[in-house]
Amino acid sequence: MSTTQKAWEIENAVKLVDPHRDALYSYDPDEQKAIQADRPWRKDPHHFKNVRISAVALLKMVMHARSGGSLEVMGLMQGKISGDTFIVADAFRLPVEGTETRVNASDEANEYVIQYLQSCRENGRADNAVGWYHSHPGYGCWLSGIDVATQMAQQYQDPFLAVVIDPDRTISTGKVEVGAFRTYPKDYKPPGGQEDDDYQTIPLAKIEDFGAHASQYYSLEISHYKSTLDAHLLELLWNKYWVSTLSQSPLFTNREYSSKQMLDLSQKIRNAEKSIQSSSRGGHMGGRGSRDSHMEKVVKDSNKIAGEEITGLMAGEIKAKLFEGVGAAVRSETAA
């Protein structure tokens, strides 16, 4: 296994989570029918707590999300249910039209899903569709109002999972930016005081939508695994793409995203400055906590951007030190 592949697996915590790793791929129809009959998620809206995604399924989703550029893309995930865990074994893309803010499945996409799953069963793969995934290019992993409505519409085939991938942030950090979510039933009110500990940088244009629907869903813990087949496929992929992976720089590949981040940060700083000046003129001491909160978020956003830029610069410097003069040395040896 190459050093680059090992680094990718370590960074994304791709590990052996089952002593019999191929056992996660085995599908027992009787077991799944029994789970469907019992439906424990109907009794407890928080029943599902974990998601295990195979390395190849993760890679396929990321590559699909990246191919969409600034447009959202959509696909389905196949797998099974085990206790309080979704096990995602594979994923496939859907022929849907997306925009920079939304993606909707058409009748053509629904027909494609039926044909694809039927073809899988005819070829001995009985895995059910356990969820859908889509991309959020550059604005983090969460569910918008449209996403919440789409997820709730899938309750007729519950249990169903929603996964969001940010391809731009994945390129910038070198780690897959992914989130997994479940929506609450319509009449369910989650207990208060539940907050996500992981801070996310949300663009100003998306903040209102982000906060408006945050109480309608919850996130699940994600882990990754690989089977013997996954290991073989990953090795083949790395053997094919290691040159392009080594030659690319996130600073150049993702420069449009970096520019948008800097522009968004400057707008947040201006808004925070106006808020401070306004409260100072009004003499409202009670607004200090709000001002500090605004400034804390601006500092976190700026630190995040600076960290990503430093990582990209360090990667470029290391590559330059490693490969500088390699071509000249080869030419001199040939000439001698």
Side-chain angles (χ1 to χ4, degrees):
M1 185 188 299
S2 69
T3 304
T4 310
Q5 182 182 343
K6 285 182 180 178
W8 183 83
E9 291 186 1
I10 291 172
E11 187 69 27
N12 291 286
V14 178
K15 58 184 179 180
L16 185 63
V17 294
D18 192 294
H20 307 286
R21 52 187 172 187
D22 291 338
L24 287 174
Y25 275 88
S26 62
Y27 186 88
D28 186 346
D30 294 333
E31 178 190 22
Q32 295 303 304
K33 287 179 181 179
I35 294 173
Q36 286 286 346
D38 189 32
R39 296 181 179 271
W41 53 88
R42 292 287 181 87
K43 305 169 187 174
D44 179 13
H46 281 273
H47 172 74
F48 291 105
K49 299 176 177 63
N50 303 287
V51 183
R52 290 178 176 178
I53 304 177
S54 74
V56 167
L58 178 68
L59 200 58
K60 288 171 72 173
M61 290 189 286
V62 171
M63 292 175 71
H64 183 203
R66 185 60 186 167
S67 69
S70 60
L71 301 180
E72 291 191 11
V73 300
M74 180 180 178
L76 283 189
M77 300 176 294
Q78 292 176 274
K80 63 180 182 178
I81 306 301
S82 179
D84 63 354
T85 303
F86 283 91
I87 296 177
V88 178
D90 200 4
F92 61 95
R93 62 181 63 194
L94 291 179
V96 299
E97 294 182 359
T99 67
E100 293 188 358
T101 57
R102 68 179 64 184
V103 60
N104 294 314
S106 61
D107 292 337
E108 180 186 354
N110 294 329
E111 292 176 6
Y112 177 84
V113 170
I114 295 172
Q115 293 174 0
Y116 185 92
L117 294 176
Q118 182 62 33
S119 177
C120 287
R121 293 188 177 94
E122 290 174 356
N123 287 275
R125 289 192 56 189
D127 302 51
N128 287 322
V130 294
W132 66 295
Y133 71 88
H134 72 290
S135 61
H136 276 185
Y139 47 96
C141 299
W142 46 279
L143 296 185
S144 66
I146 296 173
D147 299 337
V148 169
T150 301
Q151 174 66 13
M152 285 184 170
Q154 302 297 330
Q155 287 184 343
Y156 71 92
Q157 55 180 345
D158 218 20
F160 217 66
L161 175 71
V163 165
V164 182
I165 294 175
D166 188 334
D168 291 343
R169 295 186 181 182
T170 295
I171 295 296
S172 292
T173 62
K175 178 183 178 181
V176 179
E177 188 83 8
V178 59
F181 309 97
R182 286 268 299 167
T183 52
Y184 295 118
K186 288 185 178 180
D187 299 329
Y188 178 77
K189 292 184 178 181
Q194 292 187 346
E195 294 184 358
D196 194 348
D197 295 333
D198 296 330
Y199 175 77
Q200 286 197 70
T201 300
I202 308 297
L204 277 174
K206 301 289 183 180
I207 285 179
E208 185 176 351
D209 195 20
F210 171 74
H213 307 280
S215 63
Q216 295 179 270
Y217 62 90
Y218 70 97
S219 60
L220 286 75
E221 189 72 25
I222 299 177
S223 61
H224 308 294
Y225 70 95
K226 63 176 182 177
S227 69
T228 50
L229 178 60
D230 283 332
H232 178 63
L233 292 174
L234 286 172
E235 185 176 356
L236 293 176
L237 286 171
W238 285 115
N239 288 339
K240 182 177 180 180
Y241 294 110
W242 72 271
V243 174
S244 60
T245 302
L246 193 62
S247 61
Q248 286 180 352
S249 168
L251 297 180
F252 291 102
T253 306
N254 235 22
R255 56 184 177 272
E256 183 180 351
Y257 165 66
S258 300
S259 300
K260 288 180 179 179
Q261 274 196 309
M262 293 300 295
L263 179 61
D264 187 70
L265 179 62
S266 66
Q267 293 174 342
K268 289 179 179 177
I269 292 174
R270 284 196 293 269
N271 289 349
E273 184 180 3
K274 289 178 182 177
S275 176
I276 292 173
Q277 291 175 350
S278 176
S279 59
S280 297
R281 286 195 297 267
H284 299 299
M285 296 302 294
R288 180 172 181 177
S290 177
R291 296 199 305 270
D292 291 344
S293 176
H294 281 297
M295 289 304 301
E296 183 181 356
K297 290 179 180 179
V298 168
V299 170
K300 285 182 178 180
D301 289 352
S302 59
N303 286 339
K304 179 179 178 296
I305 295 172
E308 292 176 359
E309 293 295 313
I310 290 171
T311 300
L313 290 170
M314 287 179 63
E317 286 295 317
I318 292 171
K319 291 175 185 178
K321 293 293 184 183
L322 286 174
F323 300 105
E324 186 176 7
V326 171
V330 172
R331 286 194 297 271
S332 62
E333 289 178 3
T334 305

